[in-house]
């Protein structure tokens, strides 16, 4: 059986005054049904650009999907005519974002925004749509949903708004939920509630989740597979339990160490320097300027992704030398 | 107040309260936001006191009151034993030279139209700390101390990365040689790899200069390592305060416990999400109540898994239990359960 989502050789470029920025370069991955796959990276890694391109949500003009295929259930989303793509968005694929205040319309009630999705994709209207909206809000644990449907986004807390977005995203029981930093703006106690809810709904609907995050601890507790991006490229991918305990790419290892304290609790292990500017990408491995293991060949040629163990790939010439 | 008090406090808040009238809104007249309520804490020379809590707990209001950016509604603030309110009225510059602040978002706290050299130099100029001729050299030294180069002197904030901008904000705070720096979520907006750089830098500076930090954060895992003492706040009140060692061993207030349990962590023995892990307190339900009408009795009782009738009737006092101060009627009992 093929995977639910298959991304192959995706490249996304931005035309800027200072030249072409290769935000995502040659990215391939798959998401199986019922699985949570995390796409992790820091600012500028290309994780959100990649997620948005899957549904062609990036503004046309400045950005260009330069290459690649995105297959959902065998259909190539990048080749679909706009009308059919609209049927996929919201129906087969739901999406939630970091800032629900930006994604919700401030001048419409919560009920109306949920009903819009129900009308577009399921043809529900009037009392039927309202009843379904209330049911959805109850499912995402919004208290007093009968009253909430008459309220506006500004009447709700951040956690409640994120639940409303989930209600909209899940209205059509999508096969895939794309969650772009869904809990980054939330307090940790509310984050725990929202992550638990995503997990429950995933089990209940048999849904797959593509989780975009910068937080490796969230990955540990929610995902089965993880893809680490650096400067637009995949540098490592594998099962969460392995990647976060025995990473094989120096960047992944550095990220993990940067959040852990030395045995004496005195210092954090830094990754020196910063992510290279997209206008001045180094030749060879993009991580080489910050890497303690970098040698001449790393600065000359980009290391290819290699399979180290079944299901575990890393793009590093010296992957075998990285201490487990 | 005994046990976890600081040795010789450089900055000490006693029973600090801050109330804001709610502006406008139908029926909103006469309503008040209780942002801080009876907050007492102190920080000693060269030590780090961390204040942790979620949105609305009052930690940023506390930062503003401690740095003289906001006048408290009640209570007092002592700076090296002197009445800070009086000092702020009579000699505000003397207060500001000793107490500095670093904010979460350096992009918002640096003037986009002034160079880094000017911004850091202003601190020296305003406080009359370096003659015009010496200023550039002194700013260069400060930038070097925070890991920036001479070449950054003539750059503008937009030309720097987030981590570099935060270094500039730190250099500006250090320029006047303060005794206390209030750090209000100084690394929350930074990437993980950059957070480590800034945390290590703050540590090195403290070793070198003996400056005290009041470190405000929502990240318990982070503050457990950088602070000597930790205060946990909920809805404007300190609910637990003690040494990082004591709180790291175990938390006694139900809110501190829930806050810590909710934070995801790599390598937790159970690979399950929090709600499936039997060894972990269940996630809190509901949101933080509005500080406009805080709940009667214990402010946490609406979300507390251990709440009983007494909790909604009687506000618990902050009292000594074992090796820390806790604001809970049933702390001993909760402690007994491990």
């Amino acid at each position: 059986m093929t995977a639910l989502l298959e991304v192959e050789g995706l490249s996304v470029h931005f035309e800027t005054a200072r030249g072409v920025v290769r935000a995502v370069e040659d990215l391939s991955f798959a998401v199986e049904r019922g699985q949570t796959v995390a796409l992790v990276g820091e600012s500028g890694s290309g994780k959100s650009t990649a997620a948005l391109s899957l549904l062609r949500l990036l503004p046309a003009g400045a950005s260009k999907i330069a290459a690649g295929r995105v297959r959902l259930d065998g259909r190539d989303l990048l080749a679909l005519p706009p009308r059919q793509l609209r049927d996929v968005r919201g129906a087969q694929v739901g999406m939630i974002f970091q800032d629900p205040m930006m994604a919700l319309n401030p001048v419409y009630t919560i009920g109306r925004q949920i009903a819009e999705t129900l009308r577009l994709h399921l043809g529900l209207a009037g009392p039927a749509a309202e009843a379904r909206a209330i049911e959805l809000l109850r499912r995402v644990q919004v208290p007093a949903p009968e009253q909430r449907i008459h309220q506006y986004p500004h009447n709700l807390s951040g956690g409640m708004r994120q639940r409303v977005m989930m209600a909209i995203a899940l209205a059509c029981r999508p096969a895939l939920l794309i969650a772009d930093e869904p809990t980054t703006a939330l307090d940790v106690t509310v984050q725990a509630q929202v992550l638990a809810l995503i997990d429950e709904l995933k089990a209940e609907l048999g849904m797959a989740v593509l989780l975009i995050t910068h937080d490796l601890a969230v990955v540990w507790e929610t995902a089965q597979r993880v893809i680490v991006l650096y400067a637009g490229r995949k540098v490592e991918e594998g099962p969460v339990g392995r990647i976060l305990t025995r990473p094989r790419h120096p960047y992944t290892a550095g990220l993990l160490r940067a959040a852990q304290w030395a045995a004496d609790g005195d210092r954090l292990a830094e990754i020196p320097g910063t992510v290279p500017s997209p206008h001045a990408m180094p030749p060879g491995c993009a991580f080489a300027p910050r890497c303690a293991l970098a040698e001449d060949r790393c600065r000359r040629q980009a290391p290819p992704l290699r399979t180290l163990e079944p299901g575990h790939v890393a793009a590093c010439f010296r992957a075998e030398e990285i201490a487990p | 107040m005994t046990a976890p008090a600081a040795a010789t406090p450089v900055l000490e808040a006693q029973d600090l309260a801050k109330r804001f009238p709610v502006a406008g809104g139908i029926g909103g007249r006469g309503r008040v936001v209780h942002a801080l309520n009876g907050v007492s804490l102190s920080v000693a020379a060269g030590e780090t006191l961390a204040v942790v809590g979620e949105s609305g707990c009052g930690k940023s209001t506390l930062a503003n009151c401690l740095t003289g950016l906001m006048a408290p509604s009640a209570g007092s603030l002592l700076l090296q034993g002197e009445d800070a309110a009086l000092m702020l009225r009579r000699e505000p510059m003397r207060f500001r030279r000793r107490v500095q602040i670093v904010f979460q978002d350096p992009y918002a706290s640096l003037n986009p139209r002034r160079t880094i050299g000017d911004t850091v130099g202003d601190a020296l100029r305003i406080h009359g700390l370096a003659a015009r001729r010496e200023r550039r050299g002194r700013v260069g030294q400060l930038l070097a101390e925070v890991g920036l180069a001479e070449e950054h002197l003539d750059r503008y904030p937009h030309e720097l990365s987030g981590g570099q901008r935060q270094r500039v904000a730190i250099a500006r705070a250090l320029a006047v040689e303060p005794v206390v720096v209030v750090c209000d979520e100084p690394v929350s907006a930074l990437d993980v790899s950059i957070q480590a750089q800034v945390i290590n830098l703050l540590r090195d500076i403290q070793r070198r200069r003996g400056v005290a930090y009041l470190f405000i954060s929502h990240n318990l895992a982070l503050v457990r390592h950088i602070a000597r003492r930790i205060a946990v706040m909920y809805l404007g009140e300190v609910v637990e305060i003690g040494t990082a060692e004591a709180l790291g061993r175990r938390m006694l207030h139900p809110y501190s416990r829930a806050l810590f349990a909710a934070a995801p962590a790599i390598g937790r023995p159970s690979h399950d999400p929090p709600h499936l892990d039997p060894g972990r307190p269940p996630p809190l339900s509901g949101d933080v109540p509005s500080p406009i009408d805080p709940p009667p009795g214990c402010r946490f009782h609406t979300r507390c898994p251990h709440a009983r009738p007494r909790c909604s009737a009687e506000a618990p006092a902050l009292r000594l239990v074992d090796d820390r101060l806790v604001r809970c009627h049933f702390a001993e009992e909760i402690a007994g359960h491990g």
Side-chain angles (χ1 to χ4, degrees), chain A residues 7-300:
Chain A
V7 177
E8 259 178 60
L10 181 70
S11 294
V12 187
H13 296 173
F14 290 94
E15 306 280 351
T16 73
R18 295 169 64 193
V20 174
V21 167
R22 295 163 189 274
V24 176
E25 196 68 1
D26 197 18
L27 175 65
S28 301
F29 65 91
V31 181
E32 308 278 346
R33 286 172 181 77
Q35 192 183 45
T36 297
V37 174
L39 213 48
V40 303
E42 299 183 290
S43 326
S45 64
K47 58 190 189 301
S48 288
T49 302
L52 290 170
S53 338
L54 301 181
L55 292 177
R56 299 193 348 232
L57 288 171
L58 286 170
S63 67
K64 198 175 98 196
I65 296 175
R69 264 203 297 267
V70 176
R71 281 213 190 81
L72 182 75
D73 241 345
R75 274 206 294 179
D76 190 350
L77 299 185
L78 299 185
L80 279 188
R83 225 198 145 74
Q84 288 181 34
L85 184 63
R86 211 153 57 223
D87 292 337
V88 172
R89 293 178 189 150
Q92 283 174 275
V93 184
M95 193 151 183
I96 56 178
F97 301 91
Q98 173 173 348
D99 185 354
M101 201 56 188
M102 299 285 287
L104 294 171
N105 190 325
V107 301
Y108 291 131
T109 62
I110 300 306
R112 182 163 170 183
Q113 296 187 56
I114 301 174
E116 186 189 7
T117 307
L118 298 170
R119 180 177 56 78
L120 274 177
H121 295 294
L122 302 177
L124 287 182
E130 184 175 305
R132 180 87 179 108
I134 291 171
E135 193 186 311
L136 282 163
L137 284 177
R138 186 169 293 126
R139 185 60 200 90
V140 294
Q141 296 159 11
V142 171
E146 296 83 357
Q147 280 102 59
R148 291 291 187 191
I149 56 165
H150 302 297
Q151 290 187 317
Y152 293 88
H154 75 265
N155 297 121
L156 308 180
S157 68
M160 284 301 147
R161 280 185 216 130
Q162 196 57 279
R163 288 163 202 266
V164 169
M165 274 232 292
M166 276 167 67
I168 296 173
L170 302 176
C172 302
R173 305 176 73 93
L176 175 68
L177 176 71
I178 301 179
D180 188 355
E181 300 269 11
T183 57
T184 306
L186 305 177
D187 280 320
V188 300
T189 59
V190 180
Q191 164 172 284
Q193 296 166 7
V194 170
L195 292 177
L197 181 61
I198 292 178
D199 223 62
E200 280 170 36
L201 292 166
K202 192 182 113 185
E204 188 182 308
L205 304 175
M207 181 174 73
V209 178
L210 180 64
L211 175 74
I212 289 90
T213 181
H214 68 284
D215 189 335
L216 292 174
V218 167
V219 171
W220 174 269
E221 296 197 348
T222 55
Q224 285 81 53
R225 281 188 79 73
V226 55
I227 297 159
V228 183
L229 297 181
Y230 186 76
R233 286 178 177 270
K234 176 160 82 179
V235 295
E236 188 161 13
E237 177 183 351
V240 167
R242 192 192 307 272
I243 300 289
L244 299 192
T245 52
R246 280 168 290 157
R248 289 292 182 204
H249 193 283
Y251 175 63
T252 316
L255 271 186
L256 285 164
R257 273 201 307 270
Q260 286 161 7
W261 295 83
D264 59 353
D266 195 48
R267 284 186 86 78
L268 287 165
E270 304 174 7
I271 300 179
T274 53
V275 178
S277 154
H279 297 290
M281 290 296 268
C285 174
F287 188 62
R290 305 175 74 186
C291 182
L293 294 177
E295 51 191 25
D296 277 347
R297 63 175 164 166
C298 305
R299 291 181 268 270
R300 279 198 314 269

Side-chain angles (χ1 to χ4, degrees), chain B residues 133-147:
Chain B
R133 271 171 302 151
E134 300 158 20
R135 209 175 292 149
R136 206 178 151 84
R138 181 77 193 103
V139 171
Q141 286 169 6
L142 284 161
L143 291 187
E145 189 176 350
V146 296

Side-chain angles (χ1 to χ4, degrees), chain B residues 157-212:
Chain B
H158 77 267
E159 297 178 272
L160 305 183
S161 67
Q164 288 172 326
R165 284 196 283 264
Q166 199 56 294
R167 289 171 192 265
V168 173
I170 293 168
R172 174 176 59 184
L174 294 179
V176 300
E177 291 164 33
V179 291
V180 184
V181 178
V182 174
C183 304
D184 189 358
E185 299 268 13
V187 298
S188 308
L190 304 176
D191 277 323
V192 178
S193 71
I194 307 300
Q195 280 188 14
Q197 296 176 3
V198 173
I199 291 293
N200 286 343
L201 172 67
L202 287 170
R203 234 167 213 245
D204 294 343
I205 289 167
Q206 187 170 56
R207 295 259 156 80
R208 204 155 49 228
R209 292 179 170 237
V211 61

Side-chain angles (χ1 to χ4, degrees), chain B residues 234-305:
Chain B
Y234 184 77
L235 217 52
E237 295 181 331
V238 173
V239 297
E240 185 160 2
I241 180 169
T243 62
E245 197 202 339
L247 268 64
R249 215 162 33 236
R250 63 174 179 177
M251 314 265 183
L252 291 189
H253 194 282
Y255 175 68
S256 322
R257 294 162 67 90
L259 185 63
F260 184 66
I266 296 171
R268 267 195 212 269
S270 162
H271 199 62
D272 288 327
H275 62 293
L276 297 176
D277 181 348
R280 207 158 154 184
L284 291 177
S285 55
D287 288 320
V288 179
S290 161
I292 296 178
D293 293 304
C298 172
R299 291 184 170 195
F300 185 58
H301 85 261
T302 55
R303 301 175 78 196
C304 182

